[in-house]
Amino acid sequence: TDIGMDTGDMLLKAETPIGENETAGELSDRLSELGAELLIRTLRELEAGTLKRIPQTGESNYAPMLTKETGHIHWQDCAQKIHNLVRGLDSWPGAYPFLAGKKYKIWRTRCTTEKTEAQPGTILRADKKEGLFVAAGDGVLEITELQAPGKKRMAAKDYLNGHAIALPATFED
């Protein structure tokens, strides 16, 4: 008998790629289907007596506990890191910055190839046709889906259609 968390033998395993824009919520849905299939296969092999135990090797690796503060966006980080934070915290706790002291949830982003000399957090463009673009530590990140305080989750262009952001404006760190 193994003592400790996640120290026992592996029975079966599966791997799956993670899409560059796939969120944690989307991945969780796919993993639940993959896990169900793997469980059925494991039970079949157990019943047939063909299941092989594989001892785990190497050091354990545990993820830190997520808190609401985990989602606070730091704009001096590179665009890819912010993009991954947004993807990783969908659906809880969600990534967020502050604008004029109000908390905005950011649900979807897109890394661009655009560069800027603007201070990180500066809103470069906020146009209902073009979209919402923000300076990150190493380039420009497009916010494609957001949730303003007291509003529902929506496409950034739809939000900007009814709620103009007067520039210059900067997301606070």
Side-chain angles (χ1 to χ4, degrees), residues 125-133 156-157 160-161 165 167:
R125 293 186 303 286
D127 180 86
K128 63 186 177 187
K129 289 188 173 100
E130 199 173 346
L132 183 57
F133 294 82
K157 288 179 182 179
L160 292 168
N161 193 34
I165 297 175
L167 299 182

Side-chain angles (χ1 to χ4, degrees), residues 3-156:
I3 302 207
M5 190 159 86
D6 197 20
T7 58
D9 293 343
M10 290 188 298
L11 302 177
L12 292 177
K13 69 177 183 176
E15 295 181 11
T16 185
I18 299 173
E20 69 179 86
N21 293 310
E22 187 172 28
T23 67
E26 293 164 342
L27 177 61
S28 179
D29 291 345
R30 281 197 315 107
L31 289 177
S32 67
E33 290 178 21
L34 186 64
E37 292 168 9
L38 199 60
L39 178 60
I40 290 168
R41 199 171 122 215
T42 302
L43 293 172
R44 285 186 180 139
E45 288 190 29
L46 181 63
E47 183 179 51
T50 59
L51 195 58
K52 304 239 185 311
R53 298 170 82 83
I54 304 163
Q56 292 192 54
T57 59
E59 292 292 315
S60 296
N61 188 357
Y62 299 105
M65 180 71 72
L66 294 179
T67 67
K68 287 183 180 181
E69 179 57 31
T70 306
H72 191 158
I73 293 174
H74 300 285
W75 293 102
Q76 70 274 11
D77 288 340
C78 72
Q80 186 67 52
K81 183 174 181 180
I82 296 169
H83 177 66
N84 289 340
L85 179 75
V86 169
R87 292 183 321 120
L89 299 180
D90 177 310
S91 59
W92 192 90
Y96 62 90
F98 291 92
L99 179 63
K102 295 180 179 170
K103 185 179 188 177
Y104 285 73
K105 290 266 184 124
I106 307 300
W107 293 110
R108 296 253 181 196
T109 57
R110 183 183 69 82
C111 292
T112 72
T113 57
E114 189 179 337
K115 300 294 179 198
T116 183
E117 296 296 319
Q119 282 293 108
T122 301
I123 299 174
L124 303 169
R125 293 186 303 286
D127 180 86
K128 63 186 177 187
K129 289 188 173 100
E130 199 173 346
L132 183 57
F133 294 82
V134 183
D138 68 340
V140 177
L141 188 71
E142 180 182 8
I143 296 173
T144 60
E145 191 175 324
L146 57 78
Q147 184 174 0
K151 303 288 182 192
K152 64 180 184 168
R153 184 174 171 163
M154 65 180 71

